[in-house]
Amino acid sequence: MTIITAAVLLVAALFTAFRVPAVTRGRGRPILVAGLLAIAAFLMVTPAVYGFLDRIVPGQNTIDPVTKIILFTAVLILGDQTAKGLDSPRLVNLISGRPGRIVFAIASLALIVLFVIAGVEPSSPMLAVAIDQPAVALYTATAMAYFTYLSVLLLVGVARSVGRTDFGPSPQQLRGARTDKRGRVLMLIGFGLVPIRFLLSPVTFFYPASYDLVQILPLLTFFFVVVGLAFIRVAARVARRSNGVLSFVNMLERDTARQMDPWQD
């Protein structure tokens, strides 16, 4: 698990670093922030880092709900920017508008309340040592429920966008279109793993030994989404060089959604 975590974090760090040049030109700050927050959250629950933080942060295992809320924020930012890139006001509203903020607040509050109720004493990343306790199982399921809420919305939005970008008829443009489509498919795979992890919550409760194996799914989600965005980014560069239609990743470099069709430029 630690090796997989390290590998995923390394890939994510490399792709996040590739965003820095765009940020220095004033583009894509929210996406960079989302990437850094997600990397920080996953890094904080690795045993060595978690153990260190748990010794210096007041309260046993307090760092765990903190990492989950950090990850909530990272996914919220990514979801908001993706919805804007898809030019979907309804999706933006459900993710970061008033409905989205209410869901975020309820999930965060429920997470804190359940953490206090659980009162897990041994230092344990993701409270895995007590996953067979009802309060801890509900605590974990609550976090996954929020991620599932966002991922299902993004799954639908991105699925509808697949194949809508026409780069043009030249061989280079066709390669760009294929790259763009592969990137979106990778993102769909990543988003699709989240509800599967949520549905597996009862399994980890009744069979605690399965917890470590099931927790690979969130890491794979992170991996597929990051690599998918990288593919789409490459496709966007092809579009610019060949005067084709821009991919929605170019929209992610803007802080607000455009009123015009994001598939045209």
Side-chain angles (χ1 to χ4, degrees):
M1 181 71 172
T2 303
I3 295 175
I4 296 175
T5 303
V8 171
L9 287 176
L10 178 60
V11 171
L14 288 173
F15 284 127
T16 300
F18 291 154
R19 304 294 305 165
V20 173
V23 171
T24 59
R25 295 192 296 271
R27 301 197 305 268
R29 289 190 184 94
I31 296 299
L32 179 64
V33 170
L36 292 175
L37 287 175
I39 291 171
F42 279 108
L43 184 62
M44 288 165 68
V45 294
T46 57
V49 177
Y50 188 92
F52 170 75
L53 293 174
D54 205 26
R55 288 192 295 271
I56 63 175
V57 174
Q60 194 73 31
N61 288 308
T62 305
I63 199 66
D64 192 80
V66 171
T67 60
K68 285 182 169 56
I69 292 174
I70 289 174
L71 201 52
F72 279 7
T73 305
V75 179
L76 175 65
I77 295 172
L78 174 63
D80 170 74
Q81 293 296 297
T82 302
K84 288 175 179 175
L86 294 169
D87 199 26
S88 174
R90 184 169 181 269
L91 199 57
V92 172
N93 190 43
L94 290 172
I95 291 175
S96 57
R98 179 175 293 181
R101 292 195 299 270
I102 290 174
V103 174
F104 178 91
I106 291 174
S108 299
L109 181 60
L111 201 70
I112 294 170
V113 170
L114 288 168
F115 172 77
V116 173
I117 292 173
V120 178
E121 287 299 328
S123 178
S124 175
M126 297 176 287
L127 309 187
V129 72
I131 195 62
D132 57 343
Q133 295 181 15
V136 175
L138 190 56
Y139 166 83
T140 302
T142 297
M144 291 311 307
Y146 180 68
F147 293 134
T148 299
Y149 169 78
L150 293 178
S151 68
V152 169
L153 291 174
L154 295 170
L155 187 69
V156 173
V158 175
R160 289 176 175 173
S161 77
V162 174
R164 287 182 60 189
T165 304
D166 182 10
F167 279 63
S170 74
Q172 185 181 16
Q173 291 168 336
L174 290 174
R175 284 196 298 271
R178 286 194 294 269
T179 302
D180 181 86
K181 184 175 181 178
R182 287 166 184 160
R184 296 176 200 237
V185 170
L186 286 171
M187 290 182 71
L188 289 176
I189 294 172
F191 292 139
L193 291 175
V194 180
I196 293 174
R197 170 63 185 91
F198 174 66
L199 293 174
L200 288 174
S201 296
V203 176
T204 60
F205 174 65
F206 290 107
Y207 303 98
S210 67
Y211 183 78
D212 285 343
L213 182 62
V214 170
Q215 280 303 105
I216 294 176
L217 294 179
L219 286 169
L220 290 178
T221 293
F222 190 36
F223 175 81
F224 280 118
V225 171
V226 168
V227 176
L229 283 171
F231 268 65
I232 297 170
R233 178 62 186 156
V234 170
R237 290 181 178 177
V238 172
R240 284 199 300 271
R241 291 171 183 169
S242 58
N243 296 319
V245 180
L246 294 179
S247 167
F248 87 84
V249 152
N250 292 87
M251 290 294 296
L252 301 185
E253 294 184 347
R254 298 173 171 87
D255 294 336
T256 57
R258 286 181 358 196
Q259 296 302 313
M260 66 184 71
D261 184 355
W263 308 99
Q264 303 294 327
D265 194 85

